[in-house]
Amino acid sequence: MGRYARKKQHKGDKPLKAKYKTKRRTKDHDQIHFDLKPEQAKRLLNQPVDYDQPGNAQFYCIYCARYFISNEALKSHCSTKPHKQRMRALTVEPYTQDEADRAGGLGCYKKPKAVDISIPDDSKTREMDIKLELAGLAANLSAL
C-alpha cells in the first residue's frame, strides 16, 4: 500500500459539516424579525426564570437569539463582530414568498425596504446594572 492509498481511506468531511451545521443552528432572519415586534420583544426580554437556560434565561440577545450567563457577557457580546454582522443583516426587509414569486418571473422587481430594528429601552437591563453596582459597593464596604 503506497502513500496515496493510505491518505485516501476516508470519505471527506461532508458528514462532519452537516453535523456541525445542524448542531449550531440559530434562528433565521425572518424569525428574528417576528421576535422584534414590540409585544414579542417584551415577552422575550422579560422571561421567567428557567434553570435549563444559561443565566437562567435572564440575559438574552434578541438580535442573535442567544442566552448569556451574565449581563457582562451580554454587554461584551454586543461589541463582537458576529453581533454587528447580524444587526446589519437585520436592517433589510426579510425574504418573503412574494419576492420569491417575483424572482421566478411572476411580477416585477421591488427593492427590499430598510427596516427599523430598534426595540424599546429595557428597564430590566438597567435594573440589573443598578443591582450589580450596588452589590459591588456593598462588597467594597464590607471589605473596609
Side-chain angles (χ1 to χ4, degrees):
M1 182 185 298
R3 185 174 142 211
Y4 183 78
R6 274 182 283 164
K7 288 176 96 177
K8 298 294 181 182
Q9 296 299 323
H10 57 84
K11 57 184 176 182
D13 62 347
K14 186 174 181 181
L16 287 175
K17 283 182 183 176
K19 181 176 93 171
Y20 287 120
K21 201 177 260 189
T22 56
K23 181 179 181 182
R24 295 184 181 90
R25 180 99 174 114
T26 59
K27 285 188 176 182
D28 292 325
H29 296 286
D30 57 338
Q31 294 170 322
I32 292 176
H33 272 281
F34 175 74
D35 289 345
L36 288 173
K37 293 180 180 175
E39 62 278 353
Q40 191 74 5
K42 185 177 180 183
R43 187 183 64 78
L44 285 170
L45 292 174
N46 298 315
Q47 295 183 29
V49 174
D50 182 9
Y51 294 109
D52 294 333
Q53 297 291 344
N56 299 330
Q58 300 303 302
F59 309 102
Y60 183 72
C61 177
I62 198 164
Y63 302 109
C64 300
R66 288 186 61 190
Y67 292 96
F68 294 93
I69 59 171
S70 67
N71 201 24
E72 291 84 19
L74 176 60
K75 283 183 179 179
S76 66
H77 158 76
C78 289
S79 63
T80 61
K81 188 173 182 177
H83 177 80
K84 291 176 184 176
Q85 288 175 340
R86 176 64 65 103
M87 294 279 289
R88 192 175 308 117
L90 287 172
T91 59
V92 179
E93 183 181 38
Y95 192 74
T96 61
Q97 184 61 40
D98 293 335
E99 191 172 349
D101 291 342
R102 286 192 301 269
L106 301 174
C108 52
Y109 176 74
K110 270 198 314 194
K111 187 176 178 181
K113 298 176 185 171
V115 178
D116 181 31
I117 59 170
S118 64
I119 55 174
D121 198 17
D122 186 26
S123 61
K124 185 177 181 181
T125 308
R126 279 188 261 118
E127 288 175 7
M128 295 300 288
D129 289 340
I130 292 169
K131 286 180 184 178
L132 289 171
E133 287 178 26
L134 289 176
L137 290 173
N140 288 340
L141 289 175
S142 64
L144 295 176

